[in-house]
Amino acid sequence: MKYSEQTQDFFEQVYQVVRLIPKGRVTSYGSIAKALGTPKSSRIVGWAMNASHKHPDIPAHRVLNRNGLLTGKMHFESPTRMQELLEKEGVKVEKDKVVDFQRLFWDVQEELGKGM
DNA sequence: AGCTTGACTTTGA
DNA sequence: GTCAAAGCCAAGC
């Protein structure tokens, strides 16, 4: 069995996946949503991240949009905090965009599918 | 109760 | 390739 039933909070599932993202890798909201079985709920993932501030360890800086753009950088402690965190993990960021995003992309559906 | 907004994605032009 | 519009679900007003 993958995750719990959908009766559990969608946010918890999102957080769980985000925490599993390897250091130096990134993913998109859509991939997480799809991994949870609701690809249309990509926006909900964003909401989850918005609420992730009340959580201790949520590497939200590893979660970007489909274009690899740091869309939520303005919601961090500082607008530049997200980029700094990514660069500190070895991820190069150019103009609020992750360099070689496609290469650093961490497919949740695949990784979790073959890992679990 | 309803309407608007939002850290998104996909499809159509 | 880009730009505009629709769809989606949850939280906030």
Side-chain angles (χ1 to χ4, degrees):
Chain A
M1 227 57 206
K2 43 189 76 169
Y3 295 100
S4 304
E5 310 164 30
Q6 293 184 328
T7 53
Q8 192 174 356
D9 290 340
F10 195 96
F11 287 18
E12 282 296 324
Q13 298 182 27
V14 175
Y15 302 142
Q16 194 169 337
V17 174
V18 173
R19 269 180 241 153
L20 292 175
I21 301 174
K23 184 166 173 269
R25 301 294 289 281
V26 292
T27 189
S28 63
Y29 304 92
S31 288
I32 297 174
K34 187 162 67 171
L36 298 180
T38 54
K40 312 307 177 87
S41 307
S42 48
R43 311 181 76 156
I44 312 305
V45 178
W47 261 123
M49 309 299 350
N50 193 356
S52 69
H53 282 287
K54 63 186 185 118
H55 287 256
D57 282 321
I58 304 294
H61 60 273
R62 295 177 190 157
V63 184
L64 318 167
N65 69 336
R66 212 60 181 104
N67 296 318
L69 189 69
L70 281 57
T71 47
K73 65 175 217 163
M74 54 168 127
H75 290 273
F76 273 76
E77 306 173 49
S78 297
T80 56
R81 183 60 191 258
M82 191 175 186
Q83 180 172 338
E84 291 179 7
L85 288 170
L86 285 171
E87 291 182 333
K88 192 161 59 178
E89 293 186 355
V91 180
K92 293 178 184 172
V93 180
E94 188 85 18
K95 292 181 286 297
D96 300 338
K97 298 195 307 291
V98 173
V99 181
D100 292 333
F101 169 71
Q102 196 172 20
R103 184 173 62 85
L104 296 173
F105 186 78
W106 191 74
D107 196 322
V108 183
Q109 184 70 81
E110 290 295 318
E111 298 297 328
L112 257 54
K114 69 183 184 184
M116 304 285 275

